[in-house]
Amino acid sequence: MPNRFARRIRDGAIRTPGDLKTEFKALAKAYHPDLAGHAAGEEFIRVRSEYESALRNFEVHRFRTRTKPFRPGHTGGADTPSVGAVPGVFAALAVLRKRGFPKKPRHEKERYRYEYARYRFETALGELGEGFRTPLEEIEGSMIDLRSGHPESLASVLSYLDALTDYSARGLPAMRTFLARQSSSLQSDPRIPESIKLLLAELSRALALWDALPNP
């Protein structure tokens, strides 16, 4: 029997493991024997089995690829980046930038590879804590719009993202104050949408860059 969750993941109706969990909970509640009666027990077991299979193979269904599980770190609290989360998010960002972020993929094979890299980065962002909730796809759309209207502002944003990645890998003290000042400049640019500024702020916070700025 086909896995109902796997089909919806492939169709794009379920886009994240969180979406999958939400859909499973709704079905599990509908078929739980305590609520739906003893006769629903067999369907409840089937739903749970299909959910567990779909979760194990989520990336295969969603991106047509089989990879090692991506675990940049374990959450250390609602507002505190975990050990491993900070380097993980910038490693994922580096891969996404190599894929051409932000862009609209031209063909199916490129789309799966690109969306997988975006999914990994968004997953890594989630490991930073509870402060970041804006969907990455929304931010990407804002960046593409910014390219059309204010390409110089987008160039500054992308240059900053690349510099953050470089700093996270090398940690050169000389870069820290420069990046902190650049972050402040980007935050004050009225042409940059708030969704992009939120992303930049979260990444800057993860590296504690604003601590490098002198008190006013």
Side-chain angles (χ1 to χ4, degrees):
M1 180 179 293
N3 186 312
R4 74 197 80 192
F5 299 111
R7 184 187 70 251
R8 288 177 56 74
I9 293 170
R10 287 193 294 268
D11 291 346
I14 297 175
R15 300 182 61 85
T16 69
D19 293 342
L20 174 60
K21 185 176 182 179
T22 298
E23 191 151 321
F24 163 69
K25 283 184 174 180
L27 284 174
K29 187 175 182 179
Y31 290 116
H32 197 285
D34 291 345
L35 299 174
H38 182 72
E42 185 175 337
E43 186 64 18
F44 174 77
I45 293 172
R46 184 179 296 115
V47 167
R48 184 171 61 186
S49 176
E50 289 180 13
Y51 164 72
E52 291 172 351
S53 175
L55 185 60
R56 283 195 306 271
N57 297 287
F58 182 86
E59 293 180 0
V60 177
H61 300 312
R62 179 76 175 85
F63 303 105
R64 305 337 191 241
T65 184
R66 184 177 295 278
T67 63
K68 295 179 180 179
F70 180 59
R71 303 185 185 281
H74 298 287
T75 305
D79 300 312
T80 304
S82 64
V83 176
V86 172
V89 76
F90 290 103
L93 174 59
V95 172
L96 182 59
R97 288 286 292 132
K98 286 180 180 178
R99 294 278 186 263
F101 177 82
K103 72 175 183 180
K104 295 179 179 179
R106 296 168 296 177
H107 51 77
E108 187 174 15
K109 182 178 180 180
E110 182 183 58
R111 179 169 66 84
Y112 283 126
R113 294 180 65 192
Y114 180 74
E115 288 185 355
Y116 182 55
R118 187 171 62 195
Y119 163 79
R120 284 198 157 195
F121 179 52
E122 193 162 28
T123 300
L125 279 172
E127 294 285 338
L128 292 179
E130 298 294 332
F132 187 77
R133 293 296 185 188
T134 307
L136 188 58
E137 194 169 1
E138 177 184 326
I139 295 171
E140 182 176 35
S142 296
M143 287 185 174
I144 291 173
D145 291 342
L146 190 62
R147 174 182 288 146
S148 300
H150 302 286
E152 68 285 354
S153 291
L154 178 62
S156 296
V157 168
L158 297 180
S159 175
Y160 182 68
L161 290 176
D162 293 340
L164 287 178
T165 301
D166 187 37
Y167 174 73
S168 72
R170 298 196 292 163
L172 296 178
M175 297 176 63
R176 196 161 178 241
T177 301
F178 169 76
L179 285 171
R181 294 188 183 279
Q182 189 176 6
S183 172
S184 181
S185 175
L186 290 169
Q187 292 295 326
S188 65
D189 187 339
R191 298 166 297 185
I192 299 176
E194 287 302 314
S195 61
I196 298 175
K197 290 180 179 180
L198 285 172
L199 173 65
L200 300 181
E202 183 68 9
L203 294 173
S204 301
R205 183 189 69 84
L207 294 175
L209 288 180
W210 290 337
D211 295 344
L213 287 174
N215 294 325

